[in-house]
């Protein structure tokens, strides 16, 4: 699943991402694109046991791959 959160004002990107995470089953990956690093999301992901990797994009946005 892929979510493009660019252009959304906080807290909308985080809320969309958390809702999408609820639909994942073990082994699924959610890829999100944000205008900025989702610093508050990382803490939530760690607490919920998700693995995540962040990569910067050429346009200044960030792609975060989250795996359950």
């Amino acid at each position: 699943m892929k979510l493009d959160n660019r252009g959304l004002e906080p807290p909308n990107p985080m809320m969309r991402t958390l809702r999408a995470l609820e639909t994942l089953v073990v082994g699924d990956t959610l890829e999100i694109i944000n205008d900025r690093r989702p610093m508050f999301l990382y803490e939530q992901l760690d607490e919920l046991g998700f693995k995540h990797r962040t990569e910067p994009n050429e346009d200044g946005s960030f792609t975060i791959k989250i795996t359950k």
Side-chain angles (χ1 to χ4, degrees), residues 14-58:
M14 184 161 173
M15 300 309 293
R16 286 184 78 208
T17 300
L18 291 175
R19 278 194 303 270
L21 291 175
E22 292 175 359
T23 69
L24 298 184
V25 296
V26 175
D28 282 353
T29 298
L30 171 65
E31 183 176 309
I32 62 171
I33 304 171
N34 282 13
D35 289 321
R36 57 189 70 79
R37 287 184 187 270
M39 301 310 291
F40 296 111
L41 178 63
Y42 295 140
E43 183 178 321
Q44 291 282 334
L45 294 174
D46 292 340
E47 286 178 13
L48 295 170
F50 288 94
K51 295 180 182 180
H52 52 90
R53 184 180 68 208
T54 302
E55 299 172 358
N57 299 316
E58 290 182 13

Side-chain angles (χ1 to χ4, degrees), residues 5 7-14 35-36:
N5 292 326
L8 299 177
E9 291 297 318
N12 291 322
M14 184 161 173
D35 289 321
R36 57 189 70 79

